[in-house]
Amino acid sequence: NNSNNMSLPSEFGYVAVVWLAGGWITNSIIGGLVMKARKKYGVEYPTLYVSKGEKFEKEFNSCQRGHQNMIETQAIITGMALFGAVGSRNFALANTFGGLCYLIGCYLYAKGYATNEANGKGRYKSGGAVKYIGILTGLVTCVWSGLLMAKVL
């Protein structure tokens, strides 16, 4: 019998709110930082990054890079967290907390990156590393839930 009678824990609702709605809100807020930088430094659309050697290259690109980092990571990490939350009530609660850490960390990372410190050091000085709590929570619970579903555990 290959049936899996897993059901969503009621706490899954928290996970969906944090990772999906919260993710959109956070991404929009960080995007707003880039919009302000566009205005401040005179960078018009469709320019994604200012070319090397141009005026305000480092200032604008540092702000844009902080936002781009969230865009690059958000989809897969959200998927891992949502799938990981299916495994149990505790996994759902862990991913709710992890999601808050990820979102707060992405905001702090972007704000810190925008400070334009050498080699992007501001992204971690600002507390941006807290996002890795959410990333690791999503990863571990995703793997664990997958192994539970495959009846390995």
Side-chain angles (χ1 to χ4, degrees):
N1 181 3
N2 285 335
S3 74
N4 287 310
N5 293 326
M6 294 182 80
S7 61
L8 291 177
S10 60
E11 293 79 9
F12 187 84
Y14 300 130
V15 179
V17 168
V18 169
W19 282 95
L20 299 174
W24 182 83
I25 291 166
T26 304
N27 196 355
S28 296
I29 291 169
I30 297 170
L33 299 175
V34 177
M35 293 302 297
K36 287 179 186 174
R38 282 188 180 283
K39 195 172 199 176
K40 180 177 180 179
Y41 302 120
V43 179
E44 296 181 6
Y45 282 108
T47 304
L48 185 59
Y49 289 101
V50 175
S51 297
K52 191 166 184 78
E54 287 189 39
K55 189 175 184 182
F56 303 122
E57 169 204 352
K58 296 229 184 253
E59 294 86 349
F60 178 77
N61 289 353
S62 291
C63 186
Q64 176 71 305
R65 188 67 206 115
H67 183 229
Q68 192 68 28
N69 181 267
M70 182 175 184
I71 292 169
E72 292 167 353
T73 61
Q74 186 178 15
I76 190 65
I77 294 163
T78 299
M80 288 189 313
L82 291 172
F83 182 76
V86 170
S88 73
R89 174 182 184 273
N90 288 339
F91 286 3
L93 292 172
N95 276 296
T96 301
F97 175 75
L100 292 171
C101 290
Y102 175 74
L103 298 175
I104 292 166
C106 283
Y107 176 76
L108 295 173
Y109 185 98
K111 286 288 280 187
Y113 218 136
T115 62
N116 190 26
E117 289 192 40
N119 295 317
K121 289 182 182 177
R123 58 197 165 151
Y124 296 116
K125 284 183 181 178
S126 67
V130 74
K131 72 181 187 168
Y132 292 106
I133 295 170
I135 293 170
L136 291 173
T137 302
L139 175 63
V140 169
T141 59
C142 177
V143 170
W144 199 275
S145 293
L147 294 174
L148 284 172
M149 190 174 282
K151 299 191 188 298
V152 173
L153 297 177

